[in-house]
Amino acid sequence: MEKKDTNDLRQELMEAGDIDSYLRENQESFATAPVAGLLMEIYEQKNLSKAALARGAGMSEVHQVFAGRRNPSRDRLLCLCIGLSATVEETQKLLQYVGYAQLYPRNRRDAIVLYGLMHGQVLTEINDKLFEENEKTLF
């Protein structure tokens, strides 16, 4: 089966008689990849234990994410990226891979997170700045 590009899918969606048939007919085209594989690739490049990652990411469910039993929300994925000291490029790739919006510097909240990633800030520093600026914290 030939892989459909985004424009093809958009056109089919506009022409669809009902959403159920569109979803059924295009099941293989949806971005539903589990994040565990790509996250593991980045993790293996870092000199970090999973316990240290869990502390740095402020989350206890790290093992469930790596085992593929849980897919983190966008904010929790950002916490993992911060805990991994991931680069902006690695973070953007992970976000895109699982179908989340990439960090956008025109968005005030995203700009704070991007700045933190670029400058190697830890999660508490980024969350403190988000709180100080009346933005939703990452957890």
Side-chain angles (χ1 to χ4, degrees):
M1 172 179 238
E2 187 176 323
K3 189 173 181 179
K4 299 175 185 177
D5 69 17
T6 304
N7 290 327
D8 293 337
L9 290 170
R10 183 178 298 119
Q11 187 63 37
E12 283 186 36
L13 185 57
M14 287 186 348
E15 296 170 357
D18 65 276
I19 189 65
D20 293 328
S21 62
Y22 172 83
L23 294 173
R24 190 174 43 257
E25 291 168 13
N26 292 292
Q27 186 62 39
E28 290 146 16
S29 298
F30 298 127
T32 58
V35 71
L38 186 54
L39 197 57
M40 184 59 83
E41 285 179 33
I42 295 170
Y43 169 76
E44 288 173 350
Q45 296 171 9
K46 311 293 179 176
N47 188 20
L48 193 64
S49 69
K50 284 188 183 162
L53 171 57
R55 281 190 303 278
M59 56 192 291
S60 60
E61 63 270 14
V62 169
H63 294 286
Q64 292 177 347
V65 172
F66 277 90
R69 290 191 301 269
R70 289 190 77 158
N71 275 329
S73 67
R74 182 178 187 263
D75 284 354
R76 295 310 256 167
L77 184 57
L78 289 170
C79 289
L80 284 167
C81 290
I82 294 163
L84 282 168
S85 298
T87 65
V88 170
E89 292 76 20
E90 290 168 332
T91 301
Q92 299 287 51
K93 184 177 178 180
L94 274 167
L95 289 168
Q96 182 179 27
Y97 183 75
V98 295
Y100 292 141
Q102 293 184 329
L103 291 167
Y104 185 55
R106 286 186 181 266
N107 176 292
R108 182 179 172 85
R109 182 175 186 258
D110 282 0
I112 294 168
V113 175
L114 272 168
Y115 181 89
L117 283 167
M118 291 174 180
H119 291 88
Q121 292 181 332
V122 295
L123 184 59
T124 54
E125 291 175 298
I126 295 170
N127 265 342
D128 287 349
K129 185 60 178 175
L130 288 167
F131 183 79
E132 179 183 313
E133 295 296 326
N134 293 318
E135 297 290 340
K136 181 179 174 277
T137 58
L138 292 173
F139 71 91

